[in-house]
Amino acid sequence: MFKPLDINKNEENKSTQSTDVEKVKCLIIGSGPAGYTAAIYAARANLTPVMYEGLQPGGQLTTTTEVENYPGYPEGVTGPVMMEDLKKQAERFGTDIRWGMATKSDFSGETHKVWIDDEKLIEAEVVIIATGATAKYLGLEDEKKYAGGGVSACATCDGFFYRGKDVAVVGGGDTATEEAMYLAGLCRKVYLIVRRDVLRASKVMAERTVNTPNIEVLWKHQTKGLFGDDGVVEGANLVKNLGEDGEEDVQIKIDGFFLAIGHKPNSDIFADYIDTDEVGYINTIPGTSKTKVPGVFACGDVQDSHYRQAVTAAGSGCMAAIDAERYLSEKSA
Ligand code: NDP
């Protein structure tokens, strides 16, 4: 059974750790599948990892319902239960899991400095960044109202629940077209809601999308809101040609509303010291989890704009812990 996090215990930790400096061997920042897997491997390698969970303990998966594509759960598992299992596994080997948010970093010296909640300073021999990425939403009240009732930011995670139904995808980039294509294989009809009259996606994806019979591209449409019953989406209110001649309201009936307007990797506080791409995804040395700063490693969605799956995040968390362990061994040799 999923047990809610013990907020009181976490608050206790928070209050006893303020305004001091603590030296640790291995600091893991972030608690999604990447962070927990890094913790399991690091703890079993005697790195005595300290993990700060961040604002959303368990990461993005705690906002999804059923996870059916993570190996080892033949009957599926809910995101929160899976994260609680991973957390228990990390704790079993001695990971010190704490409530707190990394707010600043300084990777200029021999030891790596990370501030937690702007007050506590951690000096770590190695840092594993597993801070994930946050899906962008349109900012509509209805996205919150229907969260878990038809609104999703991951077609690969949730598309299966809409088999044979009608859904909409918002966005015109590679993610939106890829997700629309994926959903077109499962759903009866997919509306692609595009705010301009052109797709940002690569030519090949754009062509494939517009040529898929059960995808209807709604050019120059924007979403005003959703409607439904008892917290479950039944449709979307759109506007076509907003602010132009021919502006008109359009209503579509849908069961699922998928956001695909981009992700924001949570890398801002490290950006002065490590390289990122133009969006903010951390650049790692190909085939490794190493950043350009020796002793600082990155795993999971904060460094992966491409796959963004729980299982790939977990795999890269394992890589980060192994890379960290080897770095420390070589340093002390
Ligand atoms: P992008 O930033 O490329 O595209 C975002 C899309 O969402 C754009 O079409 C944009 O519209 C639209 N959008 C943004 N904000 C809003 C809004 N408020 N309302 C309506 N529409 C909005 O993000 P992606 O996630 O698609 O891709 C990120 C990166 O990852 C890209 O470099 C992409 O190429 C890459 N990628 C590659 C894949 C592959 O190679 N297989 C798969 C997925 C991603 P507009 O065009 O008008 O700005």
Side-chain angles (χ1 to χ4, degrees):
M1 277 293 283
F2 169 59
K3 278 202 304 202
L5 289 159
D6 186 344
I7 300 292
N8 295 329
K9 181 175 156 226
N10 291 332
E11 283 303 313
E12 264 170 40
N13 283 344
K14 193 177 173 183
S15 61
T16 54
Q17 289 161 10
S18 60
T19 62
D20 53 339
V21 182
E22 182 183 354
K23 290 185 190 301
V24 305
K25 192 185 272 186
C26 173
L27 174 66
I28 299 172
I29 311 169
S31 58
Y36 284 136
T37 306
I40 293 164
Y41 275 78
R44 294 185 81 252
N46 271 347
L47 302 191
T48 54
V50 169
M51 169 191 276
Y52 279 90
E53 289 183 310
L55 264 190
Q56 190 181 39
Q60 290 180 70
L61 270 186
T62 55
T63 64
T64 65
T65 46
E66 199 76 5
V67 179
E68 293 182 335
N69 54 6
Y70 196 91
Y73 290 100
E75 305 304 323
V77 61
T78 68
V81 169
M82 190 174 116
M83 288 304 109
E84 192 66 12
D85 283 350
L86 281 171
K87 180 177 181 177
K88 279 190 210 143
Q89 198 173 349
E91 281 175 328
R92 181 180 152 209
F93 299 109
T95 307
D96 181 350
I97 300 179
R98 302 173 182 178
W99 175 263
M101 173 90 180
T103 46
K104 197 172 117 183
S105 71
D106 179 349
F107 296 153
S108 60
E110 176 73 7
T111 56
H112 306 305
K113 296 179 180 166
V114 175
W115 282 261
I116 306 297
D117 296 325
D118 285 326
E119 43 185 32
K120 182 180 173 71
L121 170 59
I122 301 278
E123 292 187 357
E125 290 177 54
V126 291
V127 174
I128 295 177
I129 301 170
T131 44
T134 307
K136 291 186 196 161
Y137 283 75
L138 294 169
L140 302 170
E141 268 308 304
D142 287 341
E143 289 169 322
K144 291 181 202 147
K145 184 173 170 187
Y146 295 101
V151 174
S152 168
C154 179
T156 325
C157 317
D158 297 329
F160 191 67
F161 304 111
Y162 299 91
R163 276 167 304 162
K165 297 185 172 176
D166 295 349
V167 298
V169 177
V170 187
D174 279 319
T175 302
T177 50
E178 214 169 72
E179 304 230 321
M181 294 291 297
Y182 177 78
L183 289 166
L186 295 168
C187 301
R188 190 173 60 173
K189 172 153 194 162
V190 180
Y191 294 100
L192 185 62
I193 304 170
V194 180
R195 67 179 172 183
R196 292 189 292 151
D197 57 1
V198 63
L199 291 170
R200 179 183 291 274
S202 57
K203 201 163 179 279
V204 60
M205 280 306 289
E207 273 174 12
R208 245 184 249 166
T209 303
V210 296
N211 290 325
T212 300
N214 62 338
I215 296 179
E216 182 182 347
V217 183
L218 300 176
W219 302 106
K220 297 185 78 177
H221 281 64
Q222 299 196 38
T223 311
K224 286 201 303 188
L226 302 170
F227 58 89
D229 189 31
D230 205 18
V232 176
V233 169
E234 292 180 347
N237 290 313
L238 314 178
V239 57
K240 186 179 176 187
N241 298 324
L242 180 67
E244 295 175 12
D245 287 347
E247 176 176 323
E248 64 173 294
D249 289 335
V250 175
Q251 196 172 77
I252 53 172
K253 293 229 162 121
I254 47 168
D255 301 292
F257 182 76
F258 289 85
L259 282 311
I261 60 172
H263 281 75
K264 177 156 183 8
N266 301 316
S267 63
D268 287 358
I269 64 161
F270 314 110
D272 286 346
Y273 301 96
I274 53 182
D275 289 339
T276 65
D277 69 10
E278 67 281 359
V279 180
Y281 288 98
I282 293 175
N283 291 337
T284 48
I285 297 170
T288 78
S289 65
K290 296 173 188 171
T291 69
K292 76 169 190 187
V293 180
V296 177
F297 305 89
C299 53
D301 285 12
V302 73
Q303 53 83 57
D304 174 15
S305 63
H306 195 73
Y307 298 105
R308 295 197 296 246
Q309 299 300 301
V311 66
T312 49
S316 71
C318 159
M319 289 165 64
I322 291 174
D323 287 342
E325 196 274 325
R326 288 186 184 156
Y327 167 83
L328 287 170
S329 307
E330 280 164 21
K331 213 171 145 215
S332 64

PDB file of all heavy atoms in Angstrom, residues 24-51:
ATOM      1  N   VAL A  24      29.417  15.665   3.092  1.00  0.00           N
ATOM      2  CA  VAL A  24      28.947  14.319   2.750  1.00  0.00           C
ATOM      3  C   VAL A  24      29.790  13.777   1.600  1.00  0.00           C
ATOM      4  O   VAL A  24      30.435  14.538   0.874  1.00  0.00           O
ATOM      5  CB  VAL A  24      27.443  14.298   2.353  1.00  0.00           C
ATOM      6  CG1 VAL A  24      26.567  14.917   3.440  1.00  0.00           C
ATOM      7  CG2 VAL A  24      27.206  14.980   1.021  1.00  0.00           C
ATOM      8  N   LYS A  25      29.762  12.459   1.486  1.00  0.00           N
ATOM      9  CA  LYS A  25      30.509  11.857   0.377  1.00  0.00           C
ATOM     10  C   LYS A  25      29.719  12.013  -0.936  1.00  0.00           C
ATOM     11  O   LYS A  25      30.230  12.484  -1.936  1.00  0.00           O
ATOM     12  CB  LYS A  25      30.745  10.369   0.681  1.00  0.00           C
ATOM     13  CG  LYS A  25      31.759   9.730  -0.254  1.00  0.00           C
ATOM     14  CD  LYS A  25      31.875   8.242  -0.011  1.00  0.00           C
ATOM     15  CE  LYS A  25      32.903   7.941   1.049  1.00  0.00           C
ATOM     16  NZ  LYS A  25      33.110   6.478   1.184  1.00  0.00           N
ATOM     17  N   CYS A  26      28.449  11.621  -0.868  1.00  0.00           N
ATOM     18  CA  CYS A  26      27.653  11.581  -2.101  1.00  0.00           C
ATOM     19  C   CYS A  26      26.314  12.265  -1.876  1.00  0.00           C
ATOM     20  O   CYS A  26      25.530  11.835  -1.020  1.00  0.00           O
ATOM     21  CB  CYS A  26      27.440  10.118  -2.503  1.00  0.00           C
ATOM     22  SG  CYS A  26      26.322   9.899  -3.896  1.00  0.00           S
ATOM     23  N   LEU A  27      26.071  13.299  -2.635  1.00  0.00           N
ATOM     24  CA  LEU A  27      24.793  14.023  -2.546  1.00  0.00           C
ATOM     25  C   LEU A  27      23.977  13.732  -3.798  1.00  0.00           C
ATOM     26  O   LEU A  27      24.476  13.878  -4.914  1.00  0.00           O
ATOM     27  CB  LEU A  27      25.063  15.532  -2.448  1.00  0.00           C
ATOM     28  CG  LEU A  27      23.820  16.429  -2.500  1.00  0.00           C
ATOM     29  CD1 LEU A  27      22.944  16.222  -1.267  1.00  0.00           C
ATOM     30  CD2 LEU A  27      24.244  17.898  -2.611  1.00  0.00           C
ATOM     31  N   ILE A  28      22.744  13.303  -3.585  1.00  0.00           N
ATOM     32  CA  ILE A  28      21.836  13.069  -4.720  1.00  0.00           C
ATOM     33  C   ILE A  28      20.712  14.092  -4.619  1.00  0.00           C
ATOM     34  O   ILE A  28      20.076  14.236  -3.572  1.00  0.00           O
ATOM     35  CB  ILE A  28      21.254  11.635  -4.688  1.00  0.00           C
ATOM     36  CG1 ILE A  28      22.392  10.617  -4.794  1.00  0.00           C
ATOM     37  CG2 ILE A  28      20.241  11.433  -5.817  1.00  0.00           C
ATOM     38  CD1 ILE A  28      21.966   9.176  -4.593  1.00  0.00           C
ATOM     39  N   ILE A  29      20.488  14.804  -5.711  1.00  0.00           N
ATOM     40  CA  ILE A  29      19.452  15.843  -5.697  1.00  0.00           C
ATOM     41  C   ILE A  29      18.313  15.392  -6.602  1.00  0.00           C
ATOM     42  O   ILE A  29      18.499  15.237  -7.810  1.00  0.00           O
ATOM     43  CB  ILE A  29      20.001  17.197  -6.191  1.00  0.00           C
ATOM     44  CG1 ILE A  29      21.315  17.538  -5.471  1.00  0.00           C
ATOM     45  CG2 ILE A  29      18.983  18.298  -5.956  1.00  0.00           C
ATOM     46  CD1 ILE A  29      22.034  18.725  -6.098  1.00  0.00           C
ATOM     47  N   GLY A  30      17.158  15.170  -6.009  1.00  0.00           N
ATOM     48  CA  GLY A  30      16.001  14.759  -6.796  1.00  0.00           C
ATOM     49  C   GLY A  30      15.609  13.327  -6.508  1.00  0.00           C
ATOM     50  O   GLY A  30      16.468  12.479  -6.228  1.00  0.00           O
ATOM     51  N   SER A  31      14.306  13.052  -6.562  1.00  0.00           N
ATOM     52  CA  SER A  31      13.826  11.758  -6.072  1.00  0.00           C
ATOM     53  C   SER A  31      12.847  11.072  -7.020  1.00  0.00           C
ATOM     54  O   SER A  31      11.882  10.469  -6.577  1.00  0.00           O
ATOM     55  CB  SER A  31      13.166  11.957  -4.713  1.00  0.00           C
ATOM     56  OG  SER A  31      12.102  12.891  -4.839  1.00  0.00           O
ATOM     57  N   GLY A  32      13.090  11.175  -8.308  1.00  0.00           N
ATOM     58  CA  GLY A  32      12.314  10.371  -9.257  1.00  0.00           C
ATOM     59  C   GLY A  32      12.991   9.019  -9.416  1.00  0.00           C
ATOM     60  O   GLY A  32      13.855   8.640  -8.619  1.00  0.00           O
ATOM     61  N   PRO A  33      12.637   8.280 -10.454  1.00  0.00           N
ATOM     62  CA  PRO A  33      13.266   6.968 -10.683  1.00  0.00           C
ATOM     63  C   PRO A  33      14.783   7.063 -10.840  1.00  0.00           C
ATOM     64  O   PRO A  33      15.503   6.157 -10.399  1.00  0.00           O
ATOM     65  CB  PRO A  33      12.627   6.465 -11.987  1.00  0.00           C
ATOM     66  CG  PRO A  33      11.567   7.413 -12.343  1.00  0.00           C
ATOM     67  CD  PRO A  33      11.594   8.595 -11.433  1.00  0.00           C
ATOM     68  N   ALA A  34      15.266   8.169 -11.435  1.00  0.00           N
ATOM     69  CA  ALA A  34      16.723   8.322 -11.601  1.00  0.00           C
ATOM     70  C   ALA A  34      17.392   8.493 -10.247  1.00  0.00           C
ATOM     71  O   ALA A  34      18.373   7.808  -9.918  1.00  0.00           O
ATOM     72  CB  ALA A  34      17.031   9.529 -12.493  1.00  0.00           C
ATOM     73  N   GLY A  35      16.869   9.389  -9.427  1.00  0.00           N
ATOM     74  CA  GLY A  35      17.473   9.672  -8.120  1.00  0.00           C
ATOM     75  C   GLY A  35      17.431   8.447  -7.209  1.00  0.00           C
ATOM     76  O   GLY A  35      18.436   8.096  -6.580  1.00  0.00           O
ATOM     77  N   TYR A  36      16.287   7.783  -7.148  1.00  0.00           N
ATOM     78  CA  TYR A  36      16.179   6.610  -6.269  1.00  0.00           C
ATOM     79  C   TYR A  36      17.097   5.484  -6.735  1.00  0.00           C
ATOM     80  O   TYR A  36      17.712   4.791  -5.926  1.00  0.00           O
ATOM     81  CB  TYR A  36      14.743   6.106  -6.200  1.00  0.00           C
ATOM     82  CG  TYR A  36      13.834   6.944  -5.333  1.00  0.00           C
ATOM     83  CD1 TYR A  36      12.553   7.275  -5.754  1.00  0.00           C
ATOM     84  CD2 TYR A  36      14.251   7.395  -4.078  1.00  0.00           C
ATOM     85  CE1 TYR A  36      11.710   8.044  -4.962  1.00  0.00           C
ATOM     86  CE2 TYR A  36      13.415   8.162  -3.280  1.00  0.00           C
ATOM     87  CZ  TYR A  36      12.145   8.480  -3.727  1.00  0.00           C
ATOM     88  OH  TYR A  36      11.318   9.243  -2.940  1.00  0.00           O
ATOM     89  N   THR A  37      17.171   5.278  -8.051  1.00  0.00           N
ATOM     90  CA  THR A  37      18.042   4.200  -8.531  1.00  0.00           C
ATOM     91  C   THR A  37      19.497   4.540  -8.256  1.00  0.00           C
ATOM     92  O   THR A  37      20.278   3.674  -7.821  1.00  0.00           O
ATOM     93  CB  THR A  37      17.817   3.947 -10.044  1.00  0.00           C
ATOM     94  OG1 THR A  37      16.429   3.727 -10.257  1.00  0.00           O
ATOM     95  CG2 THR A  37      18.604   2.748 -10.533  1.00  0.00           C
ATOM     96  N   ALA A  38      19.864   5.799  -8.462  1.00  0.00           N
ATOM     97  CA  ALA A  38      21.232   6.215  -8.123  1.00  0.00           C
ATOM     98  C   ALA A  38      21.481   5.955  -6.641  1.00  0.00           C
ATOM     99  O   ALA A  38      22.554   5.475  -6.241  1.00  0.00           O
ATOM    100  CB  ALA A  38      21.424   7.700  -8.450  1.00  0.00           C
ATOM    101  N   ALA A  39      20.472   6.236  -5.812  1.00  0.00           N
ATOM    102  CA  ALA A  39      20.627   6.045  -4.359  1.00  0.00           C
ATOM    103  C   ALA A  39      20.818   4.563  -4.010  1.00  0.00           C
ATOM    104  O   ALA A  39      21.667   4.219  -3.169  1.00  0.00           O
ATOM    105  CB  ALA A  39      19.407   6.607  -3.639  1.00  0.00           C
ATOM    106  N   ILE A  40      20.045   3.704  -4.639  1.00  0.00           N
ATOM    107  CA  ILE A  40      20.161   2.254  -4.360  1.00  0.00           C
ATOM    108  C   ILE A  40      21.581   1.784  -4.686  1.00  0.00           C
ATOM    109  O   ILE A  40      22.246   1.125  -3.887  1.00  0.00           O
ATOM    110  CB  ILE A  40      19.114   1.451  -5.187  1.00  0.00           C
ATOM    111  CG1 ILE A  40      17.697   1.782  -4.702  1.00  0.00           C
ATOM    112  CG2 ILE A  40      19.392  -0.051  -5.109  1.00  0.00           C
ATOM    113  CD1 ILE A  40      16.592   1.373  -5.681  1.00  0.00           C
ATOM    114  N   TYR A  41      22.055   2.161  -5.862  1.00  0.00           N
ATOM    115  CA  TYR A  41      23.402   1.731  -6.276  1.00  0.00           C
ATOM    116  C   TYR A  41      24.487   2.386  -5.424  1.00  0.00           C
ATOM    117  O   TYR A  41      25.455   1.746  -5.022  1.00  0.00           O
ATOM    118  CB  TYR A  41      23.631   2.035  -7.760  1.00  0.00           C
ATOM    119  CG  TYR A  41      23.112   0.944  -8.662  1.00  0.00           C
ATOM    120  CD1 TYR A  41      21.756   0.825  -8.939  1.00  0.00           C
ATOM    121  CD2 TYR A  41      23.981   0.008  -9.233  1.00  0.00           C
ATOM    122  CE1 TYR A  41      21.273  -0.180  -9.756  1.00  0.00           C
ATOM    123  CE2 TYR A  41      23.505  -1.001 -10.052  1.00  0.00           C
ATOM    124  CZ  TYR A  41      22.151  -1.091 -10.314  1.00  0.00           C
ATOM    125  OH  TYR A  41      21.689  -2.095 -11.123  1.00  0.00           O
ATOM    126  N   ALA A  42      24.324   3.672  -5.124  1.00  0.00           N
ATOM    127  CA  ALA A  42      25.350   4.384  -4.351  1.00  0.00           C
ATOM    128  C   ALA A  42      25.402   3.834  -2.923  1.00  0.00           C
ATOM    129  O   ALA A  42      26.481   3.640  -2.352  1.00  0.00           O
ATOM    130  CB  ALA A  42      25.058   5.885  -4.345  1.00  0.00           C
ATOM    131  N   ALA A  43      24.237   3.565  -2.353  1.00  0.00           N
ATOM    132  CA  ALA A  43      24.206   3.053  -0.978  1.00  0.00           C
ATOM    133  C   ALA A  43      24.842   1.663  -0.918  1.00  0.00           C
ATOM    134  O   ALA A  43      25.608   1.359   0.004  1.00  0.00           O
ATOM    135  CB  ALA A  43      22.763   3.012  -0.476  1.00  0.00           C
ATOM    136  N   ARG A  44      24.548   0.841  -1.898  1.00  0.00           N
ATOM    137  CA  ARG A  44      25.112  -0.520  -1.913  1.00  0.00           C
ATOM    138  C   ARG A  44      26.614  -0.500  -2.199  1.00  0.00           C
ATOM    139  O   ARG A  44      27.318  -1.470  -1.931  1.00  0.00           O
ATOM    140  CB  ARG A  44      24.369  -1.396  -2.933  1.00  0.00           C
ATOM    141  CG  ARG A  44      22.913  -1.616  -2.518  1.00  0.00           C
ATOM    142  CD  ARG A  44      22.176  -2.563  -3.434  1.00  0.00           C
ATOM    143  NE  ARG A  44      22.464  -3.959  -3.120  1.00  0.00           N
ATOM    144  CZ  ARG A  44      23.199  -4.760  -3.858  1.00  0.00           C
ATOM    145  NH1 ARG A  44      23.722  -4.314  -4.985  1.00  0.00           N
ATOM    146  NH2 ARG A  44      23.398  -6.002  -3.497  1.00  0.00           N
ATOM    147  N   ALA A  45      27.103   0.618  -2.748  1.00  0.00           N
ATOM    148  CA  ALA A  45      28.544   0.754  -3.000  1.00  0.00           C
ATOM    149  C   ALA A  45      29.233   1.496  -1.853  1.00  0.00           C
ATOM    150  O   ALA A  45      30.366   1.970  -2.010  1.00  0.00           O
ATOM    151  CB  ALA A  45      28.773   1.481  -4.318  1.00  0.00           C
ATOM    152  N   ASN A  46      28.523   1.636  -0.724  1.00  0.00           N
ATOM    153  CA  ASN A  46      29.092   2.288   0.475  1.00  0.00           C
ATOM    154  C   ASN A  46      29.410   3.764   0.297  1.00  0.00           C
ATOM    155  O   ASN A  46      30.345   4.278   0.893  1.00  0.00           O
ATOM    156  CB  ASN A  46      30.377   1.569   0.934  1.00  0.00           C
ATOM    157  CG  ASN A  46      30.047   0.458   1.898  1.00  0.00           C
ATOM    158  OD1 ASN A  46      28.928   0.399   2.393  1.00  0.00           O
ATOM    159  ND2 ASN A  46      31.014  -0.406   2.145  1.00  0.00           N
ATOM    160  N   LEU A  47      28.657   4.440  -0.542  1.00  0.00           N
ATOM    161  CA  LEU A  47      28.895   5.881  -0.712  1.00  0.00           C
ATOM    162  C   LEU A  47      28.078   6.706   0.284  1.00  0.00           C
ATOM    163  O   LEU A  47      28.095   7.939   0.214  1.00  0.00           O
ATOM    164  CB  LEU A  47      28.566   6.338  -2.143  1.00  0.00           C
ATOM    165  CG  LEU A  47      29.300   5.666  -3.304  1.00  0.00           C
ATOM    166  CD1 LEU A  47      29.058   6.429  -4.604  1.00  0.00           C
ATOM    167  CD2 LEU A  47      30.793   5.559  -3.042  1.00  0.00           C
ATOM    168  N   THR A  48      27.355   6.031   1.178  1.00  0.00           N
ATOM    169  CA  THR A  48      26.488   6.701   2.178  1.00  0.00           C
ATOM    170  C   THR A  48      25.767   7.934   1.608  1.00  0.00           C
ATOM    171  O   THR A  48      25.972   9.053   2.080  1.00  0.00           O
ATOM    172  CB  THR A  48      27.302   7.096   3.441  1.00  0.00           C
ATOM    173  OG1 THR A  48      28.424   7.871   3.040  1.00  0.00           O
ATOM    174  CG2 THR A  48      27.757   5.884   4.220  1.00  0.00           C
ATOM    175  N   PRO A  49      24.939   7.714   0.602  1.00  0.00           N
ATOM    176  CA  PRO A  49      24.321   8.870  -0.067  1.00  0.00           C
ATOM    177  C   PRO A  49      23.310   9.610   0.807  1.00  0.00           C
ATOM    178  O   PRO A  49      22.584   9.011   1.590  1.00  0.00           O
ATOM    179  CB  PRO A  49      23.612   8.234  -1.270  1.00  0.00           C
ATOM    180  CG  PRO A  49      23.389   6.819  -0.886  1.00  0.00           C
ATOM    181  CD  PRO A  49      24.531   6.435   0.003  1.00  0.00           C
ATOM    182  N   VAL A  50      23.321  10.915   0.625  1.00  0.00           N
ATOM    183  CA  VAL A  50      22.297  11.780   1.212  1.00  0.00           C
ATOM    184  C   VAL A  50      21.461  12.283   0.049  1.00  0.00           C
ATOM    185  O   VAL A  50      22.009  12.795  -0.936  1.00  0.00           O
ATOM    186  CB  VAL A  50      22.946  12.966   1.945  1.00  0.00           C
ATOM    187  CG1 VAL A  50      21.893  14.010   2.323  1.00  0.00           C
ATOM    188  CG2 VAL A  50      23.694  12.480   3.178  1.00  0.00           C
ATOM    189  N   MET A  51      20.141  12.098   0.145  1.00  0.00           N
ATOM    190  CA  MET A  51      19.282  12.542  -0.952  1.00  0.00           C
ATOM    191  C   MET A  51      18.336  13.645  -0.484  1.00  0.00           C
ATOM    192  O   MET A  51      17.703  13.519   0.569  1.00  0.00           O
ATOM    193  CB  MET A  51      18.441  11.379  -1.472  1.00  0.00           C
ATOM    194  CG  MET A  51      17.334  11.829  -2.431  1.00  0.00           C
ATOM    195  SD  MET A  51      16.165  10.536  -2.794  1.00  0.00           S
ATOM    196  CE  MET A  51      17.045   9.716  -4.105  1.00  0.00           C
TER     197      MET A  51
END
